[in-house]
Amino acid sequence: MYKILSAFALSTASMVAAADPVSLLVYRVWEQGSEPYLSRVLVSPDHVRLDEGDGGGYTLFDRRQEILYNVSPQDRSILVMNPTQMVGDQPEDLSLREEVKPDEQAPEVAGKQPQDVRLFANGELCSELVVIDGVMQDAVDALAELKLALARIQAATLAATPVEMRTPCDMATNIYAADRSLRFGLPVQERSDGRSQSLVDFTAAYEADADTFSLPAEFDRRPLFSF
């Protein structure tokens, strides 16, 4: 395990019981207007779970059925997001470009030389990343599946999206190339307008609690799409 944030890893490990090992990524996230926080990504063959490691709310993605669940312990509810609408073809007036080059000055991570990646849409710089290829690929693939499912939700609600939020970068990142940031490997650092995140811990053998990927049976379920 490549530990940078040992205190966090030890505190979470003490809270769980032995179970089948899963993959774990821990990011330190900064968003404009808020204090930095930790975000965990736990990946099993069937699920992806996103949480902050504090026992609060979480998002669960069923990889087999491609359904997302947003669990809120505060109001004892589960928002069910089951996007059935497919993302349409990329608009002709949306031009995407990527720049990729090795970062020769950066130290190796897990025996891999990091690469710098810059993502553009219609000439606008959307995000800058530092990635490592061939590391934690199962987690990378699972996150890509999650982003593509989220893209279908965004596509289904596009008509209600304010015009000012339909910039080329927004359209690329949220709908037409939602998995683009994961096509080059595991993001170690990622920067975009008003947001950045850095990988602080990862392992392919995290001992998750048995109910990590379950949903509270007593919570009310509310569908996002109701016709």
Side-chain angles (χ1 to χ4, degrees):
M1 186 174 189
Y2 298 85
K3 290 185 179 179
I4 300 175
L5 198 66
S6 300
F8 175 82
L10 289 174
S11 65
T12 54
S14 65
M15 297 169 59
V16 299
D20 291 337
V22 301
S23 295
L24 169 70
L25 306 174
V26 182
Y27 285 94
R28 181 177 292 277
V29 181
W30 173 86
E31 294 177 337
Q32 189 170 4
S34 64
E35 293 295 319
Y37 63 91
L38 295 179
S39 176
R40 299 194 314 170
V41 180
L42 296 105
V43 177
S44 76
D46 295 326
H47 295 92
V48 179
R49 172 173 167 145
L50 308 179
D51 63 39
E52 296 182 17
D54 58 1
Y58 60 95
T59 296
L60 190 68
F61 176 53
D62 185 322
R63 301 177 65 184
R64 305 302 183 190
Q65 299 187 62
E66 298 185 344
I67 301 175
L68 289 109
Y69 302 91
N70 191 52
V71 181
S72 175
Q74 184 174 5
D75 58 9
R76 299 175 62 83
S77 68
I78 302 172
L79 180 63
V80 182
M81 295 167 279
N82 185 14
T84 57
Q85 178 173 325
M86 301 304 294
V87 175
D89 294 334
Q90 180 178 313
E92 293 183 0
D93 60 354
L94 181 61
S95 175
L96 306 183
R97 179 170 62 88
E98 299 85 29
E99 293 180 356
V100 184
K101 64 178 181 179
D103 188 346
E104 303 292 354
Q105 305 302 317
E108 291 187 353
V109 179
K112 301 287 186 175
Q113 189 66 42
Q115 296 186 96
D116 292 329
V117 178
R118 304 176 80 205
L119 306 178
F120 296 84
N122 288 8
E124 174 187 347
L125 178 61
C126 300
S127 59
E128 298 176 280
L129 304 98
V130 177
V131 305
I132 46 176
D133 188 25
V135 175
M136 300 292 289
Q137 192 59 46
D138 63 325
V140 173
D141 292 342
L143 279 174
E145 295 170 12
L146 171 60
K147 283 181 175 287
L148 291 174
L150 287 170
R152 292 196 292 277
I153 295 173
Q154 292 289 335
T157 59
L158 183 58
T161 303
V163 174
E164 61 270 19
M165 296 181 62
R166 302 185 198 179
T167 67
C169 282
D170 288 324
M171 293 294 95
T173 301
N174 296 323
I175 299 181
Y176 296 107
D179 64 340
R180 186 163 62 143
S181 63
L182 296 160
R183 296 174 187 174
F184 308 93
L186 175 67
V188 176
Q189 294 181 348
E190 185 171 356
R191 297 182 299 274
S192 58
D193 187 29
R195 189 182 190 277
S196 66
Q197 65 178 30
S198 299
L199 184 68
V200 295
D201 204 355
F202 65 95
T203 179
Y206 181 74
E207 298 292 337
D209 191 16
D211 63 355
T212 295
F213 301 105
S214 63
L215 295 168
E218 68 277 14
F219 283 16
D220 292 333
R221 298 198 179 197
R222 305 171 182 172
L224 176 63
F225 301 107
S226 181
F227 302 95

